[in-house]
């Protein structure tokens, strides 16, 4: 390997136990010519990173502080070997030095612990900052289970203990950074975002986690792109502006973020919210960049800067930061002669506590292994790296008022994020996001100076739908949609499903643009209803009517009384028995009534007309009691029709929920096809009765029974025509009252217009209520016809 001169105390210090340190003091950003011989890269020729050098000094300070402590590792000193890990692929000399035993590396088939004090050079390694570099070197350290306590590599991959069993870390993993980021996006309702990243492990892992995290949220990734030195930033920002994306996330290291921000300034990109991760949210060069305020508002998520007591004094106490010393490999070359202490103090303070706590985690593990609790350590104990790793996993101590411990994946169960706003070259804290012991966050948006002059910017593909409207996705993104108003009988629950208008239950109703359903009121005519009481009073009045007029009149009156029973079942809460008894008594006994009137009408015509011309027909009718035969046939036929109807499709309860959305009208569903036979029979009897009655219209003026029957039939027809019209136009709860009135009207039409005239003759004209009077009318009419 090539060698160079460096001050010994900068990168190495002797001690009873050595800790390795990996810091990217220099960073190789440009592709170097292909090497033709195996040699280490000269890190000193690469760009110098002051912030990483500051972290290197923080490790040295922590070691010195521990060595001066009488409580932690009393009587035991820690030493360190620190290497500048400037390359992802060519900085291996330091790593191989860490795992060497007596300046040599053991073959892989001899990995069992060596006897005596022969063990790896270091008991643990602190580092690194880059996730890509960690992924490269982790397998080498895993060979000997040398614990790598990481202070900056937040890729979620290192939580997989099967692949990386010896990695612990004091930096919060990307999963929690993404969770904090998504929480902020949802808090401000920024649902339409762009995500920029580079090809490093840190960035690509963040991009994958972000996609998974927003999958079941309202956030849509409108634009994502990998950024590098060859990116056409003009085209990229044009696409972002075309899609009206107002929030841009840069999940990348500081140098990549610098390229994007500088391009935004050069292209005069403004009116954007920029979300920064802890990789660049504290970057001083960006904070102090000229015209940085012109790009919009920058919101950062960082692990808060922790004040490390005594560290600044330690920095100011340093003399000759770089000087002459023994020869080392070039990855231990500082090349920082022009660097002042003030520059180190002012450098990006991010990851200070992770570096500081990483050293203390190793020290506490060693403290436990050496059984130093009694105030004196057992230095005769041989310490192997795998033993230190086991102790690291059970860490539980307090450092600067923080409880240091790890979960089963080696990730920290301590620390939180600060939410900051870039305000005049300062990162001003405006909130926090905590994971332990439970998730909690707070954002004071009033402290943020938005580029929109006080109003929180929006970033949406489509504006929110009005209340009571469902989203109809427009395109591939769920954030882009049209709004559809939910109709009557449906509602929208935006929490459960903002894309579907849900039908209300049959017992509920809703108006247009509803967000919930309301219970329907259950409607039926109770017995206490005024209309019901009037109808029932009329029915009771009908039942108590008494009259005379022979056996057939008695039969008609009896059947009319039995028909009236059906009226009582139109009121009260419907039941299946009610549905049956509403129709059965009325149809059955009204059929008998109609048959009686058919007979009466025929007899009238027979007496005055048929009897005169066809006396044999009249004699046959009288001999075989034709009137009772017709009545019996009609009754039996109707019984059979009703039996068939009720057996095949019996009436059932029915809830009317269509015509009146706010109500449930309790009703009976009677199948019209099933009762059509019964209705045809009744209609046929009515028609015959009307024909016979009409035939007797020119009978003697004083004998008006045929005319009375005709009028009753016309009144009956009018009643049911009116009811049928109402039935078509109205289906409310009062329909059953109207039905009961129609039944009652059908009964009273015969009672009033057929029997009442008879009663008047009996009471006021008794001389006309004699057989002699009727016989005289017949003889007189017969002479008139014969002439």
């Amino acid at each position: 390997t090539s060698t160079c001169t460096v001050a010994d105390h900068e990168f190495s210090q002797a001690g009873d136990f050595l800790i390795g340190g990996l810091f990217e003091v220099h960073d190789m950003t440009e592709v170097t010519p292909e090497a033709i011989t195996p040699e280490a890269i000269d890190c000193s020729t690469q760009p110098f990173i002051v912030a990483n050098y500051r972290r290197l000094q923080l490790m040295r300070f922590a070691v010195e502080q521990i060595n001066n402590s009488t409580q932690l590792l009393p009587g035991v000193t820690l030493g360190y070997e620190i290497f500048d890990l400037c390359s992802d692929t060519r900085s291996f000399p330091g790593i191989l030095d860490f795992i060497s035993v007596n300046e040599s590396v053991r073959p892989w088939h001899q990995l069992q612990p060596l006897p005596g004090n022969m063990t790896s050079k270091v008991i643990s390694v602190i580092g690194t900052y880059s996730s890509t570099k960690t992924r490269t070197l982790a397998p080498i350290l895993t060979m000997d289970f040398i614990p790598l306590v990481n202070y900056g590599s937040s890729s979620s991959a290192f939580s997989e203990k099967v692949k990386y069993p010896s990695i612990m870390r004091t930096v919060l993993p990307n999963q929690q950074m993404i969770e904090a980021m998504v929480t902020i996006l949802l808090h401000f309702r920024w649902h339409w975002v762009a995500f920029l990243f580079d090809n490093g492990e840190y960035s690509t892992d963040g991009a994958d986690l972000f996609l998974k995290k927003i999958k079941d949220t309202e956030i849509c990734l409108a634009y994502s792109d990998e950024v590098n030195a060859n990116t056409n930033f003009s085209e990229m920002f044009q696409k972002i502006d075309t899609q009206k994306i107002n929030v841009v996330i840069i999940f990348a290291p500081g140098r990549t973020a610098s390229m994007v921000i500088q391009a935004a300034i050069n292209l005069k990109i403004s009116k954007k919210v920029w979300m920064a991760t802890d990789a660049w949210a504290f970057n001083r060069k960006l904070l102090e960049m000229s015209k940085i305020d012109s790009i919009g508002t920058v919101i950062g998520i960082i692990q808060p800067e922790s004040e490390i007591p005594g560290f600044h004094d330690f920095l100011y106490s340093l003399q000759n930061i770089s000087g002459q010393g023994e020869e080392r490999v070039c990855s231990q070359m500082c090349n920082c002669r022009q660097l002042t202490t003030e520059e180190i103090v002012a450098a990006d303070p991010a990851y200070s506590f992770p570096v500081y706590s990483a050293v203390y985690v190793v020290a506490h593990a060693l403290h436990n292994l050496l059984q130093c609790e009694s105030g004196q350590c057992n230095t005769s104990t041989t310490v192997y790296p795998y033993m230190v790793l086991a102790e690291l996993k059970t860490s539980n101590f307090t450092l600067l008022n923080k409880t240091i411990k790890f979960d089963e994946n080696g990730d920290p169960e301590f620390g939180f994020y600060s939410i900051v706003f870039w305000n005049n070259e300062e990162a001003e804290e405006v909130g926090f996001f905590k994971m332990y012991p439970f998730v909690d966050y707070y954002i004071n948006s009033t402290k943020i100076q938005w580029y929109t002059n006080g109003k929180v910017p929006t970033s949406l593909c489509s504006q929110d739908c009005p209340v009571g409207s469902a989203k109809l996705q427009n395109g591939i993104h769920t954030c882009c949609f049209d709004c559809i108003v939910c109709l009557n009988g449906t509602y929208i629950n935006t929490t459960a499903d903002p894309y579907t208008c849900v039908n209300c239950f049959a017992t509920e109703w809703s108006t247009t643009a509803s967000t919930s359903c309301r219970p329907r009121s259950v409607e039926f005519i109770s017995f206490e209803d005024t209309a019901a009481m009037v109808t029932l009073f009329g029915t009771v009045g009908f039942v108590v009517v008494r009259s005379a007029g022979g056996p057939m009149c008695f039969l008609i009156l009896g059947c009319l009384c039995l028909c009236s029973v059906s009226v009582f079942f139109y009121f009260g809460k419907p039941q299946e028995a009610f549905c049956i008894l509403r129709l059965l008594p009325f149809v059955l006994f009204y059929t008998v009534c109609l048959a009686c009137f058919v007979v009466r009408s025929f007899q009238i015509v027979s007496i005055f007309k048929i009897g005169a011309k066809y006396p044999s027909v009249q004699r046959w009718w009288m001999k075989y009691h034709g009137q009772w035969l017709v009545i019996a046939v009609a009754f039996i036929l109707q019984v059979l029709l009703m039996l068939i109807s009720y057996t095949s499709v019996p009436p059932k309860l029915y809830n009317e929920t269509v015509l009146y959305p706010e109500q449930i009208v309790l009703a009976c569903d009677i199948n019209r096809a099933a009762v059509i036979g019964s209705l045809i029979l009744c209609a046929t009897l009515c028609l015959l009765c009307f024909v016979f009655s009409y035939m007797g219209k020119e009978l003697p003026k004083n004998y008006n029974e045929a005319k009375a029957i005709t009028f009753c039939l016309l009144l009956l027809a009018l009643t049911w025509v009116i009811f049928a019209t109402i039935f078509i136009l109205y289906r409310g709860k009062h329909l059953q009252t109207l039905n009961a009135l129609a039944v009652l009207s059908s009964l009273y039409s015969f009672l009033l217009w057929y029997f009442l005239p008879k009663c008047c003759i009996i009471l006021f004209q008794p001389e006309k209520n004699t057989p002699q009077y009727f016989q005289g009318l017949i003889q007189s009419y017969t002479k008139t016809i014969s002439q």
Side-chain angles (χ1 to χ4, degrees):
T1 60
S2 60
T3 59
C4 54
T5 303
V6 67
D8 180 61
H9 70 275
E10 282 280 84
F11 285 89
S12 65
Q13 176 177 300
D16 297 325
F17 294 92
L18 285 182
I19 300 176
L22 298 173
F23 295 88
E24 301 165 35
V25 180
H26 297 84
D27 190 18
M28 187 179 72
T29 57
E30 298 180 0
V31 179
T32 57
E34 183 178 352
I36 59 176
T37 59
E39 60 182 17
I41 188 173
D42 186 356
C43 290
S44 62
T45 62
Q46 305 302 318
F48 183 77
I49 310 298
V50 182
N52 286 338
Y53 182 73
R54 184 183 190 275
R55 293 164 192 143
L56 179 152
Q57 296 297 341
L58 190 54
M59 175 181 171
R60 294 181 61 229
F61 167 71
V63 170
E64 180 178 301
Q65 197 175 57
I66 292 168
N67 287 340
N68 292 332
S69 171
T70 58
Q71 302 297 321
L72 186 60
L73 291 175
V76 175
T77 60
L78 292 179
Y80 52 78
E81 284 280 352
I82 300 176
F83 284 84
D84 181 4
L85 197 67
C86 64
S87 170
D88 293 346
T89 58
R90 298 172 62 187
S91 292
F92 289 104
I95 310 301
L96 297 174
D97 186 51
F98 288 159
I99 67 173
S100 66
V101 178
N102 296 334
E103 305 299 328
S104 64
V105 179
R106 291 178 291 157
W108 281 27
H109 67 277
Q110 298 179 1
L111 297 183
Q112 67 276 9
L114 298 174
N117 291 325
M118 296 181 64
T119 183
S120 299
K121 191 173 185 178
V122 297
I123 59 170
S124 183
V125 176
I126 307 298
T128 71
Y129 176 74
S130 165
S131 294
T132 302
K133 292 181 175 65
T134 299
R135 181 184 280 270
T136 302
L137 62 90
I140 301 175
L141 297 176
T142 302
M143 284 170 35
D144 221 7
F145 267 67
I146 299 175
L148 179 64
V149 185
N150 201 288
Y151 62 83
S153 301
S154 55
S155 170
S156 63
F158 304 127
S159 297
E160 301 178 36
K161 292 300 101 177
V162 174
K163 293 182 180 180
Y164 302 99
S166 63
I167 291 183
M168 309 289 290
R169 54 181 165 188
T170 54
V171 64
L172 295 171
N174 277 348
Q175 293 99 318
Q176 296 178 1
M177 169 62 71
I178 293 297
E179 187 169 346
M181 188 174 290
V182 170
T183 299
I184 294 174
L185 293 175
L186 292 173
H187 177 84
F188 290 115
R189 302 190 70 253
W190 294 330
H191 299 163
W192 193 237
V193 301
F195 194 98
L196 306 180
F197 57 99
D198 66 10
N199 63 352
E201 173 71 22
Y202 167 77
S203 296
T204 54
D205 178 66
D208 291 340
L209 291 173
F210 185 75
L211 278 174
K212 293 177 183 177
K213 186 66 178 178
I214 67 173
K215 185 177 181 181
D216 297 322
T217 69
E218 295 178 309
I219 300 170
C220 293
L221 183 56
Y223 179 84
S224 65
D225 198 6
E226 181 183 313
V227 178
N228 53 50
N230 299 320
T231 297
N232 186 333
F233 288 104
S234 177
E235 181 181 338
M236 181 186 78
F237 282 119
Q238 185 178 4
K239 291 179 180 178
I240 291 174
D241 280 339
T242 300
Q243 296 186 69
K244 298 180 180 180
I245 304 169
N246 296 329
V247 175
V248 181
I249 301 167
I250 305 178
F251 205 100
R255 69 170 177 271
T256 303
S258 297
M259 286 192 299
V260 177
I261 298 299
Q262 186 62 62
I265 294 173
N266 295 339
L267 295 169
K268 297 182 180 180
I269 302 299
S270 60
K271 297 181 180 179
K272 295 280 186 275
V273 174
W274 305 83
M275 291 197 69
T277 66
D278 53 1
W280 63 278
F282 254 151
N283 191 297
R284 296 294 184 188
K285 290 184 178 180
L286 286 174
L287 276 166
E288 299 169 1
M289 187 178 291
S290 176
K291 299 182 180 179
I292 188 65
D293 294 336
S294 67
I295 64 172
T297 304
V298 180
I299 304 294
I301 305 171
I302 63 171
Q303 295 190 61
E305 179 182 358
S306 297
E307 183 66 31
I308 309 298
F311 179 51
H312 287 179
D313 294 336
F314 171 79
L315 291 177
Y316 281 109
S317 68
L318 296 178
Q319 301 293 328
N320 288 329
I321 291 177
S322 181
Q324 301 296 319
E326 62 177 281
E327 290 186 346
R328 297 281 183 182
V329 294
C330 283
S331 60
Q332 289 179 307
M333 178 75 173
C334 178
N335 193 22
C336 52
R337 292 181 183 274
Q338 305 303 319
L339 191 64
T340 65
T341 302
E342 286 74 15
E343 289 178 290
I344 303 174
V345 172
D348 184 355
Y351 301 97
S352 295
F353 187 76
V355 173
Y356 185 70
S357 59
V359 179
Y360 268 87
V361 164
V362 176
H364 274 273
L366 186 60
H367 183 91
N368 293 336
L369 286 172
L370 298 179
Q371 302 173 348
C372 302
E373 296 300 329
S374 61
Q376 185 176 358
C377 298
N378 183 5
T379 55
S380 62
T381 302
T382 300
V383 177
Y384 293 101
Y386 73 89
M387 298 167 62
V388 177
L389 177 61
E391 281 295 331
L392 288 174
K393 293 178 180 179
T394 61
S395 297
N396 192 345
F397 62 93
T398 301
L399 181 65
L400 299 184
N401 298 321
K402 296 180 178 68
T403 301
I404 308 300
K405 58 182 179 179
F406 301 92
D407 63 17
E408 65 276 7
N409 298 319
D411 294 329
E413 288 189 347
F414 58 90
F416 63 96
Y417 290 115
S418 286
I419 302 170
V420 298
F421 152 66
W422 282 14
N423 184 18
N424 297 326
E425 300 183 1
E426 292 294 333
E428 180 182 346
E429 185 172 353
V430 295
F432 63 82
F433 182 85
K434 295 181 178 179
M435 287 68 62
Y436 306 104
F438 52 85
V439 174
D440 185 25
Y441 80 95
Y442 168 76
I443 303 174
N444 186 356
S445 59
T446 60
K447 296 177 67 176
I448 303 175
Q449 297 178 16
W450 303 106
Y451 68 84
T452 48
N453 297 323
K455 185 179 180 181
V456 178
T458 60
S459 188
L460 300 168
C461 179
S462 300
Q463 294 298 322
D464 288 344
C465 288
V467 175
S469 297
K471 299 176 181 178
L472 179 62
Q473 186 171 329
N474 183 3
I476 62 173
H477 293 289
T478 57
C479 296
C480 304
F481 49 82
D482 299 320
C483 297
I484 306 298
V485 178
C486 291
L487 302 177
N488 291 339
T490 66
Y491 72 100
I492 183 72
N493 183 347
T494 54
T495 302
D497 183 4
Y499 297 93
T500 305
C501 293
V502 182
N503 291 324
C504 295
F505 290 113
T507 57
E508 298 174 330
W509 71 286
S510 69
T511 58
T512 301
S514 293
T515 56
S516 63
C517 294
R518 286 173 279 181
R520 295 175 185 256
S521 59
V522 179
E523 300 291 338
F524 60 90
I525 299 297
S526 65
F527 286 100
E528 293 79 13
D529 190 88
T530 302
M533 295 177 68
V534 171
T535 305
L536 292 175
F537 179 78
T539 304
V540 172
F542 180 86
V543 172
V544 297
V545 168
R546 294 288 184 268
S547 181
M552 188 168 292
C553 287
F554 181 78
L555 177 62
I556 293 172
L557 287 171
C559 287
L560 290 177
C561 289
L562 291 175
C563 287
S564 67
V565 174
S566 65
V567 175
F568 291 92
F569 298 101
Y570 282 93
F571 306 106
K573 187 175 182 180
Q575 302 175 17
E576 289 190 1
F578 282 31
C579 294
I580 295 174
L581 294 174
R582 283 182 182 182
L583 189 65
L584 180 62
F586 174 71
V587 172
L588 193 60
F589 295 108
Y590 207 72
T591 299
V592 176
C593 291
L594 291 174
C596 289
F597 282 109
V598 168
V599 170
R600 297 282 291 186
S601 302
F602 177 77
Q603 285 180 330
I604 293 170
V605 175
S606 175
I607 291 171
F608 284 96
K609 292 186 175 183
I610 299 177
K613 294 182 178 181
Y614 309 100
S616 59
V617 174
Q618 185 178 10
R619 286 195 299 271
W620 182 91
W621 178 268
M622 298 297 295
K623 179 179 179 181
Y624 294 101
H625 303 286
Q627 66 271 31
W628 299 114
L629 184 63
V630 171
I631 294 171
V633 169
F635 177 74
I636 293 172
L637 183 58
Q638 188 64 278
V639 168
L640 292 176
L641 290 173
M642 295 292 288
L643 184 63
I644 294 172
S645 169
Y646 279 17
T647 302
S648 58
V649 188
K652 59 183 179 180
L653 295 176
Y654 168 69
N655 295 338
E656 174 58 63
T657 59
V658 177
L659 297 178
Y660 303 95
E662 73 280 6
Q663 299 176 351
I664 299 177
V665 180
L666 301 184
C668 293
D669 182 21
I670 299 174
N671 189 280
R672 297 178 182 85
V675 298
I676 190 66
S678 297
L679 297 179
I680 290 175
L681 177 59
C682 290
T684 302
L685 292 174
C686 286
L687 181 62
L688 290 174
C689 186
F690 183 81
V691 170
F692 292 140
S693 299
Y694 185 78
M695 289 173 64
K697 67 181 188 305
E698 64 275 338
L699 294 179
K701 184 175 181 181
N702 289 334
Y703 195 85
N704 56 5
E705 184 171 352
K707 295 178 181 179
I709 293 175
T710 303
F711 182 77
C712 290
L713 290 174
L714 290 174
L715 186 62
L716 177 66
L718 179 63
T719 297
W720 287 103
V721 168
I722 293 174
F723 176 75
T725 304
I726 295 174
F727 181 82
I728 294 172
L729 301 177
Y730 173 73
R731 287 297 187 90
K733 70 175 183 178
H734 294 289
L735 184 64
Q736 51 198 12
T737 301
L738 297 175
N739 198 343
L741 288 174
V743 170
L744 203 58
S745 176
S746 302
L747 304 181
Y748 271 97
S749 64
F750 285 112
L751 178 66
L752 295 177
W753 305 110
Y754 179 77
F755 286 101
L756 188 60
K758 287 181 175 292
C759 293
C760 291
I761 291 174
I762 293 172
L763 293 174
F764 302 108
Q765 295 178 316
E767 68 278 5
K768 293 183 180 181
N769 189 29
T770 62
Q772 293 79 8
Y773 179 79
F774 290 115
Q775 189 67 33
L777 288 176
I778 296 170
Q779 291 174 355
S780 176
Y781 182 77
T782 304
K783 291 178 180 179
T784 303
I785 295 175
S786 61
Q787 292 174 357

